[in-house]
Amino acid sequence: MTDQAVRCYRHPDRETGIRCSRCERPICPECMINASVGFHCPECVREGRRAAQAAEPRTVAGGPVAGDPRLVTKILIGLNLLVFLLAQVEGRSFVTALGLFTPCYVPGSVQCGVAGGPGEWYRLVSSMFLHQEFAHIAFNMLSLWWIGGPLETLLGRARYTALYLIAGLGGSALVVLLAPDTLTLGASGAIYGLFGATAVFVKRLRMDMRPVLVLLGLNLLFTFTWGGISWQAHIGGLVVGVIIAVAMAYAPRSRRALVQWGTCAAMLVAVAVTVWAGVANISA
């Protein structure tokens, strides 16, 4: 009786004398993948990659640990400072071109806000990076460094970026809905989103809540007692930031990515609906 020919487990029509050095399954030249010792089959290579990914260090929220845990915060500060310098050089026209307002801010102007013409929707984002006063940008950038840096370390770059931008959009959306006639600018909505997220993670990590609650309380006091401050942007950013942070902090490990990114998507939908409602109210 002759021995049965050994055939590749993935291609039964091909005879082979090579086996995977890990699982011992026969493999043909097409299926052979070089390894440190011998050859591996495609399935063993995929399993090895999954195991390596699972072993990678992760943040509290499940994001990959970055080499520079504050890179995004530095980039955001740089963008805000760059736009601030441009505003100082270009003057009022630059602020009016990028600031947030819904109806025409200047009657007869070609700049007609979010609700004008085809809609200048970019203002919802551009206003988040626009500052005009030195005190305003100094407070926001110091807050971004002190609050944002530790949060980026806890969340990872992608989740932190999503939190910052969506919280900022939440602040812009509430301005469109409740204060459409006011020229609004600044990163405060996003910053308040970071304040809210910090409170959530302090609770999640079972740290002392009192310092962050005192800081948040003082900022809310200033929001409602000082003139020239858009409380709508602050509250909108705070609410969105808290909701996203709860999903980031408490999502079950088995469905963590689905819950976290699903919540971010839901907040974007809520922002879009709020902006639509504000524009529809102006247009009515």
Side-chain angles (χ1 to χ4, degrees):
M1 185 176 64
T2 59
D3 293 336
Q4 185 178 3
V6 177
R7 301 179 183 276
C8 175
Y9 81 99
R10 298 178 75 235
H11 302 97
D13 59 325
R14 303 176 188 177
E15 294 185 10
T16 182
I18 304 296
R19 291 179 178 272
C20 172
S21 58
R22 187 173 181 180
C23 69
E24 296 293 327
R25 286 181 289 195
I27 48 178
C28 66
E30 183 180 333
C31 299
M32 290 166 20
I33 301 174
N34 284 320
S36 56
V37 177
F39 300 95
H40 286 173
C41 66
E43 278 73 12
C44 286
V45 170
R46 281 195 289 268
E47 290 175 6
R49 288 173 180 167
R50 283 195 294 266
Q53 290 173 353
E56 289 180 354
R58 293 277 169 174
T59 66
V60 172
V65 174
D68 183 353
R70 294 194 177 210
L71 178 63
V72 175
T73 299
K74 294 173 184 176
I75 293 173
L76 291 172
I77 291 175
L79 287 174
N80 278 279
L81 291 175
L82 175 61
V83 177
F84 174 74
L85 292 175
L86 290 174
Q88 300 306 304
V89 173
E90 299 295 332
R92 185 69 177 179
S93 61
F94 184 82
V95 174
T96 306
L98 296 183
L100 177 63
F101 52 89
T102 308
C104 288
Y105 185 68
V106 179
S109 171
V110 294
Q111 297 166 341
C112 281
V114 175
E120 297 173 353
W121 306 103
Y122 67 87
R123 295 180 181 275
L124 298 170
V125 176
S126 63
S127 61
M128 293 164 48
F129 295 91
L130 180 63
H131 298 79
Q132 194 173 15
E133 303 294 336
F134 284 95
H136 190 197
I137 191 169
F139 175 81
N140 278 344
M141 294 306 99
L142 286 173
S143 298
L144 179 53
W145 180 253
W146 288 332
I147 302 295
L151 264 180
E152 184 179 352
T153 302
L154 287 173
L155 294 174
R157 291 174 181 171
R159 289 164 174 79
Y160 172 72
T161 302
L163 169 67
Y164 183 91
L165 294 178
I166 300 174
L169 286 172
S172 296
L174 202 60
V175 169
V176 170
L177 181 65
L178 301 180
D181 295 312
T182 305
L183 175 62
T184 305
L185 48 98
S188 299
I191 298 298
Y192 270 71
L194 300 185
F195 274 125
T198 298
V200 171
F201 273 93
V202 167
K203 175 67 174 177
R204 167 70 173 79
L205 298 173
R206 299 181 179 179
M207 299 168 64
D208 187 359
M209 290 283 293
R210 287 172 294 182
V212 70
L213 290 179
V214 169
L215 182 61
L216 182 58
L218 287 174
N219 278 275
L220 288 174
L221 178 64
F222 295 150
T223 295
F224 290 102
T225 55
W226 283 15
I229 293 180
S230 174
W231 65 266
Q232 296 88 352
H234 292 189
I235 298 303
L238 177 65
V239 171
V240 172
V242 167
I243 293 173
I244 292 177
V246 168
M248 296 285 185
Y250 293 99
R253 185 177 296 271
S254 60
R255 294 178 295 163
R256 183 156 55 188
L258 176 64
V259 171
Q260 291 173 342
W261 295 114
T263 301
C264 289
M267 289 298 98
L268 283 174
V269 171
V271 165
V273 170
T274 303
V275 172
W276 174 83
V279 170
N281 185 52
I282 290 294
S283 305

